[in-house]
Amino acid sequence: MEKTVKFFKKPITATLIAIFCGFLVATVILAVSGYNPFEAFGALLGGIFGRPKYVSNVIIKSTPIILTGVSVAFAYKMGLFNIGAEGQFIVGAVAANVVGIVCDFPAVIEVPLVLLAGVAAGALYGGIAGWLKAKYNINEVIVGIMLNWMALYFSNFVCNVERFHKPESDGAYAIHESGFISFFTNWKTTEAAAEFVQAHPFIGDILRTDANAGILIAIALTFAVSFLLYKTTKGYELRAVGSNRDAAEFAGIDVGKNMVQTMLIAGALSGIAAAIAIAGNNPHGITQLSAFESNGLNGLSVAFIAGGSPIGCIFAGLLFGALLYGGQSIQYVVGAPSEIISILIGTIVFLIALKDMVPVLIDKMGKRGVK
Amino acid sequence: MMINTITLLLGVTLLYSTPMIFGALGGVLSERSGVINIGIEGMMTFGAFAGAAAGYYSGNPWIGVLCAALAGGVLALLHAVAAITCQADQTISGVAINLLGPALAVFFCRLAFDGSTMSYPVANKLPKIFGSGAEGIWANLNVDIMVVVALLFAVAMWFVLYRTKWGMRILAVGENPAAADTLGINVYKTRYACVILSGILAGIGGATVTLGIVAQFTQTSIAGQGFIALAAVIFGKWKPMGAYRACLIFGFSQALTVVLGGGAIAVPTEILAMLPYVLTIVILILFVGKSVAPKADGVPYVKGRR
């Protein structure tokens, strides 16, 4: 009995229960709407694992949201709610795109330049929210949302500037090829590559996607953030402010300064997520936005599912990417609206909010058992 | 010409601020009782869809408004269960509502309208205050009847909150739930009522878009109005009339972009479209220091714990 209680009290258990219950709710909604839920989830699995290409695409889809998830999780550790990750992502993409068009250097300079442009823009944008919170105590959620919309219109503005607008398209020019981080960009178009793909269908299938180095950068950064948070004095300060602001201030920690720094780093993480997407994925440029693409907003859900742990964001991000990418096949195969995936994700996040209830419930049930 | 522009500006301001006013009144009520409601946007979106769908199938816009209120109320009930009974993190729960609202709206929209993410246009929109025959400047000022309803709601909420026993109870619960509890006020029931009502108001706000302004639900029917409404709550110092005025200001800045966006001045439309959002931040910088949230806002109440 004690062992079971201990098991149920682990945070990961509550998260898994939330995910399971999310699927239950989605099952009921699908069944009530007249679709076979098992077929639908079969299609989902097929859409994730059916071909090497799909798995590769899931990883590509997950890369940016792992990083925006880490961005949100990092800010949340000090009590800041970085809903502005979306805007930070958008300005990061714009900056990476613009720098990648204007500058034309060899890859060793071009790639870092493009990535740094994203970092700088994202950090600046996040920093604004942090500064407004520190200096004027303005709710970062509202500022974040306003900045998100401003970023969206700014991105569309840059898209239509003559210097950057690609004629007969709804987007900007691609960055110079030397800025690409896709695997074997040049080799892919050669005849040798065509022969190789014929001979090795498995790897060939993966090569047909935008497979790129982004995921490696994302994982490395995630571990760096985790190290910063748990193994450095700075990280300790940030967490101290997050768990008790007044106590931290009393202990001599400059809360305002830490807020701005946190948001700079959180913004930088969202910004580099965008720069990786620009450097790694077709069309290697921004396109006109009519609504949010949600790379940043999904980061919120990823961070919550990960329970605020940066390393957890890698797994939560992959889960999320898999659901988003594989979910499309629910519509192709079964005909059910692919929004069922959004409902599933929303339900999971809602249940995550309730997950503190699990240990309490277990305690209650445990007491009943003893009697 | 001049009078034409001014009346047009006034008419569009009233039209655009109305959905936000409903959302902001909902926010005021919920936060005054001590529950942060970030989910207003999601409740408005779900209400916008429910309103358009019910309005289309029944042919009666008022049935649409009723269904929108119900839809918003149902989502709010979820938030209430999480925030009040389960003492959950209200921000996370609100974010979840914001994910669920649009997801449910588009899911059901695809089921109800042949797989499309847009509803068909409703045949009968909500009535205008001067009927359908208005001309000239009267046409400019011929706004939806919901503009009047929003004002009535704001006045009614002011009256209830500050001039009635119920209102005093709500304020007490939001400021000091433990003290209110000692006086025999049921904290949980009061909060449930306020949160559900806030969802009902948000749902109606959504319907004013899809049954009045555009007569159709699309994925961008509700594009940030719910969040601007939250800013209006803060700017309006958590007071009904304050929030009402704040929404008028935000509505005015949106009206400016519409009226000026017709090519009258040489500013790119994308830059002009940023105006309401820039203004929101500027206003918050100028005024927020002076506004203080209800003391127990966002703090779950547990009986017997201090």
Side-chain angles (χ1 to χ4, degrees):
Chain A
M1 183 67 202
E2 237 169 55
K3 254 190 188 167
T4 17
V5 170
K6 228 180 189 175
F7 169 74
F8 277 107
K9 276 190 174 174
K10 276 190 185 165
I12 179 92
T13 315
T15 305
L16 291 177
I17 293 176
I19 293 171
F20 177 73
C21 293
F23 273 95
L24 272 187
V25 170
T27 305
V28 172
I29 292 179
L30 279 173
V32 170
S33 315
Y35 300 102
N36 183 339
F38 300 104
E39 261 177 53
F41 290 131
L44 174 66
L45 281 179
I48 299 168
F49 299 110
R51 285 175 59 178
K53 181 178 139 183
Y54 297 161
V55 177
S56 171
N57 275 332
V58 164
I59 292 172
I60 292 166
K61 186 109 191 157
S62 306
T63 306
I65 53 180
I66 288 174
L67 281 169
T68 52
V70 175
S71 162
V72 174
F74 181 72
Y76 203 63
K77 273 279 181 288
M78 82 157 295
L80 290 174
F81 193 73
N82 187 21
I83 205 166
E86 183 75 26
Q88 294 148 18
F89 186 94
I90 295 174
V91 293
V94 171
N97 198 176
V98 165
V99 167
I101 294 171
V102 173
C103 304
D104 187 9
F105 295 110
V108 268
I109 303 172
E110 183 85 358
V111 170
L113 215 53
V114 168
L115 294 183
L116 279 177
V119 167
L124 178 75
Y125 222 58
I128 293 174
W131 180 73
L132 287 174
K133 170 91 179 179
K135 170 111 181 157
Y136 297 102
N137 196 24
I138 304 178
N139 190 319
E140 76 278 9
V141 174
I142 289 169
V143 171
I145 289 157
M146 298 302 131
L147 288 175
N148 288 350
W149 286 98
M150 284 156 64
L152 182 127
Y153 289 114
F154 178 69
S155 171
N156 286 349
F157 169 72
V158 174
C159 240
N160 288 327
V161 171
E162 214 184 326
R163 170 79 175 82
F164 305 120
H165 185 76
K166 189 177 176 186
E168 282 158 45
S169 80
D170 62 348
Y173 284 110
I175 60 170
H176 285 288
E177 246 176 68
S178 56
F180 288 10
I181 53 167
S182 325
F183 290 134
F184 314 114
T185 324
N186 295 319
W187 180 77
K188 262 192 215 177
T189 51
T190 61
E191 230 167 87
E195 269 172 37
F196 178 83
V197 168
Q198 288 266 309
H200 304 83
F202 187 88
I203 301 175
D205 206 33
I206 293 177
L207 281 179
R208 244 172 253 135
T209 67
D210 285 329
N212 63 66
I215 187 71
L216 305 176
I217 304 176
I219 291 174
L221 281 173
T222 305
F223 277 96
V225 167
S226 192
F227 180 82
L228 171 71
L229 265 179
Y230 297 107
K231 298 276 185 268
T232 65
T233 324
K234 189 85 239 165
Y236 177 78
E237 274 186 26
L238 298 182
R239 286 184 293 124
V241 175
S243 53
N244 190 337
R245 206 180 142 164
D246 296 330
E249 196 147 30
F250 189 68
I253 297 172
D254 186 340
V255 173
K257 198 174 108 192
N258 273 295
M259 255 176 201
V260 178
Q261 286 171 345
T262 303
M263 288 305 289
L264 280 173
I265 295 173
L269 285 165
S270 299
I272 200 168
I276 288 172
I278 293 284
N281 308 344
N282 269 315
H284 295 284
I286 52 173
T287 48
Q288 192 84 25
L289 300 168
S290 58
F292 290 123
E293 288 180 318
S294 291
N295 283 306
L297 297 174
N298 287 337
L300 296 179
S301 311
V302 167
F304 291 145
I305 293 174
S309 139
I311 307 286
C313 285
I314 297 175
F315 301 100
L318 284 171
L319 170 74
F320 218 90
L323 289 177
L324 287 176
Y325 182 76
Q328 297 166 359
S329 28
I330 290 185
Q331 193 144 353
Y332 294 137
V333 179
V334 193
S338 58
E339 279 74 23
I340 188 68
I341 293 297
S342 316
I343 296 178
L344 168 64
I345 290 167
T347 311
I348 293 174
V349 174
F350 182 75
L351 294 170
I352 293 277
L354 306 187
K355 78 173 179 185
D356 292 342
M357 286 292 282
V358 174
V360 179
L361 282 178
I362 296 298
D363 266 350
K364 271 191 187 167
M365 286 200 306
K367 270 175 203 158
R368 233 172 257 164
V370 172
K371 275 177 196 173
Chain B
M1 178 60 205
M2 191 65 193
I3 190 102
N4 191 36
T5 310
I6 291 172
T7 49
L8 184 64
L9 210 51
L10 187 62
V12 177
T13 299
L14 290 171
L15 203 63
Y16 277 32
S17 50
T18 303
M20 296 188 279
I21 291 169
F22 283 107
L25 289 177
V28 168
L29 193 60
S30 173
E31 303 216 354
R32 268 299 162 124
S33 78
V35 179
I36 291 180
N37 192 350
I38 287 194
I40 295 277
E41 174 95 359
M43 297 171 194
M44 284 179 81
T45 311
F46 196 37
F49 161 73
Y56 173 80
Y57 281 107
S58 70
N60 183 339
W62 294 108
I63 293 182
V65 172
L66 196 70
C67 288
L70 271 176
V74 168
L75 276 189
L77 176 64
L78 280 181
H79 184 56
V81 171
I84 303 164
T85 305
C86 301
Q87 295 142 28
D89 186 319
Q90 295 171 11
T91 308
I92 301 183
S93 163
V95 166
I97 299 293
N98 284 337
L99 291 171
L100 280 173
L104 289 169
V106 178
F107 182 84
F108 288 121
C109 190
R110 283 192 197 268
L111 293 184
F113 296 97
D114 301 324
S116 167
T117 58
M118 287 184 226
S119 77
Y120 301 138
V122 293
N124 300 313
K125 287 167 70 166
L126 288 163
K128 307 270 184 190
I129 51 172
F130 300 135
S132 53
E135 281 178 27
I137 56 165
W138 297 114
N140 285 340
L141 291 174
N142 195 9
V143 290
D144 291 332
I145 202 131
M146 294 312 269
V147 171
V148 183
V149 176
L151 177 61
L152 293 179
F153 272 29
V155 173
M157 190 181 288
W158 167 81
F159 183 80
V160 171
L161 276 183
Y162 296 106
R163 293 287 180 275
T164 68
K165 199 169 62 182
W166 302 329
M168 291 300 157
R169 287 180 176 170
I170 292 170
L171 298 184
V173 165
E175 291 294 330
N176 193 338
D181 200 356
T182 336
L183 294 174
I185 302 170
N186 190 324
V187 176
Y188 298 118
K189 263 192 197 157
T190 311
R191 286 189 170 175
Y192 261 96
C194 287
V195 173
I196 292 172
L197 262 174
S198 85
I200 288 174
L201 286 167
I204 296 175
T208 57
V209 177
T210 52
L211 289 167
I213 301 176
V214 285
Q216 182 182 26
F217 171 79
T218 67
Q219 279 177 297
T220 50
S221 294
I222 304 298
Q225 289 100 319
F227 290 119
I228 298 182
L230 286 181
V233 171
I234 298 176
F235 176 37
K237 299 180 183 171
W238 286 268
K239 290 177 182 158
M241 295 316 286
Y244 183 87
R245 279 192 295 269
C247 288
L248 282 186
I249 294 175
F250 295 135
F252 177 70
S253 69
Q254 287 184 339
L256 271 184
T257 68
V258 173
V259 176
L260 298 181
I265 51 167
V267 178
T269 47
E270 295 95 346
I271 300 295
L272 208 53
M274 290 185 198
L275 189 64
Y277 308 107
V278 178
L279 194 70
T280 305
I281 293 182
V282 171
I283 285 176
L284 286 176
I285 292 174
L286 293 177
F287 295 98
V288 85
K290 293 163 200 150
S291 75
V292 182
K295 264 211 191 87
D297 201 9
V299 187
Y301 177 64
V302 187
K303 230 177 157 61
R305 193 167 77 191
R306 292 224 255 168

